[in-house]
Amino acid sequence: MYNRLLVPLDGSSNAAEALNTAVSLAKDWHATITILHVIDIAQFTSRGLGAGYPEVVTSMRQNGRELMEKAKQVADNSGVHADMILKEGAPKQIITEIANDADLGIDLIVVGKSGTNAFSRLVIGSTTNYIVQHAEPNVFVVNDVPEDDDQ
């Protein structure tokens, strides 16, 4: 059905659900996954963080690599081949650019309904909404699993 799935990850529980869904679909379809993490360093300025800016950016890059490595391990444990891409920039634009890159051959994006940056969603709109509006491949939007209120 689909051969190459793109899974953007931001560290949210909703993105983790999208990863689990993508792995399950890829396994059924004998497809491969491209795991993408976009570091949104635009939310910080070197002027605002001063001398701490390089350390913050280095930490964000390290966290992004660790997030993708864990996601790749989930895919590997299920027998699904996964590639990883780490980029810096505006997440919704980078995700769409990667998805629309004909050389990558992405034919389905599996994305969480909402991510980690609630303020950004209020001010400039949902990343997921932007992807749905601008991506050429089909988009499968995954809802987060609701937390059990009985705990």
Side-chain angles (χ1 to χ4, degrees):
M1 174 145 237
Y2 293 98
N3 296 311
R4 189 138 189 100
L5 286 62
L6 176 64
V7 185
L9 299 179
D10 64 2
S12 68
S13 62
N14 205 182
E17 285 302 317
L19 173 66
N20 292 334
T21 299
V23 167
S24 178
L25 294 172
K27 188 172 183 176
D28 288 347
W29 298 333
H30 305 286
T32 60
I33 293 177
T34 298
I35 299 164
L36 171 64
H37 178 69
V38 181
I39 301 168
D40 188 4
I41 60 172
Q43 63 184 314
F44 301 105
T45 65
S46 59
R47 189 171 29 151
L49 293 174
Y53 181 77
E55 290 79 16
V56 169
V57 172
T58 299
S59 176
M60 291 173 75
R61 289 177 181 143
Q62 181 61 35
N63 290 339
R65 283 189 288 277
E66 290 172 7
L67 175 69
M68 290 193 317
E69 286 293 338
K70 288 177 184 174
K72 184 171 180 3
Q73 190 63 50
V74 169
D76 290 346
N77 289 344
S78 295
V80 172
H81 176 76
D83 298 318
M84 299 183 299
I85 300 175
L86 180 65
K87 294 279 186 177
E88 295 179 9
K92 61 186 177 183
Q93 293 170 335
I94 298 291
I95 294 166
T96 304
E97 287 171 12
I98 296 292
N100 294 344
D101 184 338
D103 292 336
L104 293 176
I106 303 296
D107 50 11
L108 182 67
I109 305 165
V110 182
V111 64
K113 186 175 183 180
S114 63
T116 58
N117 195 341
F119 179 74
S120 178
R121 284 194 306 276
L122 289 172
V123 175
I124 57 175
S126 165
T127 297
T128 301
N129 184 51
Y130 185 91
I131 294 167
V132 169
Q133 298 277 334
H134 295 91
E136 294 169 9
N138 288 328
V139 181
F140 187 112
V141 179
V142 177
N143 287 327
D144 202 356
V145 174
E147 291 185 25
D148 188 2
D149 292 335
D150 296 334
Q151 294 182 9

